[in-house]
Amino acid sequence: MLSASRDPIAAIATAPGRGAVGIVRVSGKGIASFVQALLGRTLRPREATYLPLPDEHGQPIDHGLALWFPGPHSYTGEDVLELQGHGGPVVLQLLLARCLAVAQGLDAAGQAVLPGLRPARPGEFTERAFLNDKLDLAQAEAVADLIDASTEAAARSATRSLSGMFSRKVHTLRDALIHLRMLVEATLDFPEEDIDFLQKADAVGQLNRLRSALADVQGQARQGALLRDGLKVVIAGQPNAGKSSLLNALAGAELAIVTPIAGTTRDVVQQTIQIEGVPLHVIDTAGLRDSPDVDEVERIGIERAWGQIGQADAVLFLHDLGRSHTPDYQAADAVIAAALPPAVSVLQVWNKLDQCPPAERHALAAREAAGELAISAKSGDGLEALRQRLLALAGWQQAGDGLFMARERHLQALARVGGHLEVAQELLAVGAEHLDLLAEELRLAQQALGEITGEFTADDLLGEIFSRFCIGK
């Protein structure tokens, strides 16, 4: 778990490897004397200064820019120094080592220049921004989501969350909840008054409007979580149903080997594609069969395929139209269907439309009427309909430019808020008999909302969140 330590920290703030520019960042309280000792001069606040970045002998390690941000007007809310040099890993390591060495040196009074300066842990700069009220927790998480965004839509949504869009919606819910709590508490505090605070203030109507607003935010949050995490889609079926061909067609690249030999695919092949900005993690698996011809390697591949199916958000059960009329094929498909996990969404897809026997056309029409899809991974027929069906299966609804990023923990917190408000509505319908319980449910709902923005957050949760950041951020 990340500590709330106030030791000054330093780190390379750019990605590992070579680059045009690299940044070393230092953050702490009262580091002006450190800047003087490191660079031999003072810096004007928030103004880039081009200068040599010297070593212990006064010789330049590099020439670059130095920027000085006195707190609280900085990313972390503390004093921040940024050294921008050339992006070679050796140069950056030398600059970081020089910062740490200067900090341990002695000033004119015989004291360490910057005692306690240490390398930053992952996410520690952003953690300090949160602890110093520069960002709330939802905004801090949006920093990592913006870095990790795999699609343009995800990046734009993360930017909206970073700007505070999600937080403002949470605060609007919180304010309405606080007002309702105030009415209930007033009724509890002044029971002798011949005034029905709740009825006069339309507490029932307020609670209904609050639940409706919560439902809207939950819907948007689910969309944002989908943009962030995507959907895990497993292509499953018998050997030679065209699973690898379908993966290649969806990805637009020859990722998986395709041959007419049963058991060609022996391991999991995964590719992330995007449909309307939604990332879909499509997984090709070994053909599912129970045959004496299965060797040890293929058997392991089949076991892994079932493991992926059990973890999937959706399964594309791929059938071969060219063999669908044969009893053996039908029986094997039935065995697979019976073994599919009941909790996983399954989309029935009939492949090789270009090879469909004329006798099967009538049966195919009935399947399509039942919501099943017919495609040809070879020609591309039906692929666009499949893409749209996958979006529908994921619960995606085009949300325009107002979508913000969200995480699973946000969805869980909002669900808890909804549960408390549902109980509160039942208690409110009873009347004044259970107002103390009503007040408690509203308090718990507010606490769950506060967990999203960090107003009520356990230290171990903070450690879990920020430890997933990159070092230097």
Side-chain angles (χ1 to χ4, degrees):
M1 184 183 74
L2 289 178
S3 167
S5 167
R6 287 305 179 218
D7 293 341
I9 54 174
I12 298 171
T14 41
R18 299 171 59 196
V21 177
I23 299 174
V24 172
R25 177 182 289 156
V26 181
S27 180
K29 292 184 177 180
I31 67 172
S33 59
F34 166 78
V35 175
Q36 174 71 44
L38 178 68
L39 302 176
R41 57 171 295 174
T42 59
L43 299 173
R44 297 181 63 178
R46 292 172 296 282
E47 182 177 298
T49 303
Y50 179 75
L51 75 176
L53 305 174
D55 63 14
E56 66 272 22
H57 304 296
Q59 298 301 310
I61 297 173
D62 195 3
H63 288 75
L65 298 177
L67 291 98
W68 167 242
F69 302 93
H73 305 295
S74 68
Y75 179 72
T76 63
E78 304 170 334
D79 293 348
V80 171
L81 173 68
E82 285 194 358
L83 304 176
Q84 300 185 6
H86 294 91
V90 174
V91 172
L92 295 176
Q93 288 292 345
L94 288 172
L95 288 175
L96 178 59
R98 179 60 183 155
C99 289
L100 295 171
V102 168
Q104 301 308 313
L106 302 181
D107 59 19
Q111 302 294 321
V113 173
L114 188 58
L117 180 66
R118 57 173 174 80
R121 304 184 186 98
E124 196 166 5
F125 288 97
T126 304
E127 181 198 26
R128 293 191 177 194
F130 165 70
L131 293 174
N132 292 325
D133 296 324
K134 306 296 290 187
L135 301 169
D136 66 30
L137 193 55
Q139 289 175 295
E141 289 170 305
V143 173
D145 292 337
L146 182 58
I147 294 171
D148 294 336
S150 59
T151 69
E152 179 182 349
R156 292 185 181 277
S157 297
T159 299
R160 295 187 191 102
S161 286
L162 180 56
S163 70
M165 177 181 289
F166 184 24
S167 301
R168 286 191 293 273
K169 291 180 179 294
V170 171
H171 290 155
T172 298
L173 292 173
R174 180 202 61 189
D175 293 344
L177 187 53
I178 289 174
H179 187 264
L180 187 56
R181 284 190 66 192
M182 177 190 68
L183 296 174
V184 175
E185 297 289 348
T187 305
L188 283 171
D189 289 342
F190 303 102
E192 70 280 357
E193 295 289 338
D194 189 21
I195 299 174
D196 189 344
F197 288 95
L198 301 182
Q199 185 174 2
K200 285 183 177 293
D202 187 26
V204 173
Q206 288 192 43
L207 183 54
N208 286 335
R209 289 189 292 273
L210 180 56
R211 294 188 67 190
S212 178
L214 174 65
D216 290 340
V217 174
Q218 283 179 298
Q220 291 177 297
R222 280 191 291 268
Q223 299 290 90
L226 184 59
L227 273 183
R228 178 183 184 272
D229 299 324
L231 188 73
K232 182 176 179 179
V233 179
V234 173
I235 307 174
Q238 295 187 53
N240 285 348
K243 298 182 296 299
S244 298
S245 296
L246 179 55
L247 173 65
N248 292 343
L250 289 172
E254 295 297 320
L255 301 174
I257 298 173
V258 177
T259 77
I261 301 173
T264 297
T265 301
R266 301 204 168 198
D267 205 350
V268 171
V269 180
Q270 178 172 328
Q271 177 67 20
T272 297
I273 64 173
Q274 58 170 299
I275 304 175
E276 296 184 13
V278 179
L280 288 126
H281 313 294
V282 184
I283 300 170
D284 178 26
T285 58
L288 304 175
R289 62 172 175 167
D290 184 10
S291 167
D293 298 332
V294 174
D295 59 28
E296 181 64 16
V297 176
E298 188 180 353
R299 183 189 63 77
I300 295 173
I302 293 172
E303 289 178 356
R304 291 184 177 181
W306 282 112
Q308 292 292 332
I309 290 170
Q311 301 170 13
D313 296 309
V315 171
L316 298 185
F317 189 0
L318 201 63
H319 309 274
D320 185 347
L321 277 170
R323 293 180 285 163
S324 60
H325 60 286
T326 63
D328 289 347
Y329 188 85
Q330 292 173 359
D333 259 5
V335 171
I336 295 171
L340 291 174
V344 177
S345 298
V346 179
L347 180 59
Q348 307 287 343
V349 181
W350 297 83
N351 189 29
K352 304 184 183 180
L353 184 59
D354 50 307
Q355 300 178 18
C356 182
E360 288 296 303
R361 293 287 178 177
H362 179 73
L364 180 59
R367 294 180 185 123
E368 290 179 317
E372 301 177 11
L373 289 177
I375 67 165
S376 171
K378 182 178 180 180
S379 68
D381 288 347
L383 288 186
E384 182 56 33
L386 175 58
R387 293 186 181 98
Q388 294 305 313
R389 185 67 68 83
L390 285 172
L391 288 180
L393 198 63
W396 174 252
Q397 299 172 355
Q398 191 61 42
D401 294 332
L403 195 61
F404 53 79
M405 189 66 78
R407 295 184 171 205
E408 180 61 30
R409 80 167 191 91
H410 303 150
L411 298 181
Q412 293 174 0
L414 291 171
R416 291 200 303 276
V417 175
H420 291 305
L421 293 185
E422 182 178 359
V423 175
Q425 190 170 48
E426 295 171 356
L427 293 170
L428 188 58
V430 176
E433 184 178 348
H434 298 296
L435 286 186
D436 53 342
L437 298 178
L438 172 60
E440 177 63 10
E441 291 296 331
L442 295 178
R443 185 190 69 81
L444 292 172
Q446 183 182 346
Q447 181 173 311
L449 271 180
E451 291 176 8
I452 295 175
T453 54
E455 297 169 60
F456 303 98
T457 307
D459 286 344
D460 56 350
L461 176 60
L462 292 182
E464 173 67 18
I465 289 172
F466 288 110
S467 66
R468 296 178 182 272
F469 280 52
C470 53
I471 293 176
K473 197 62 181 176

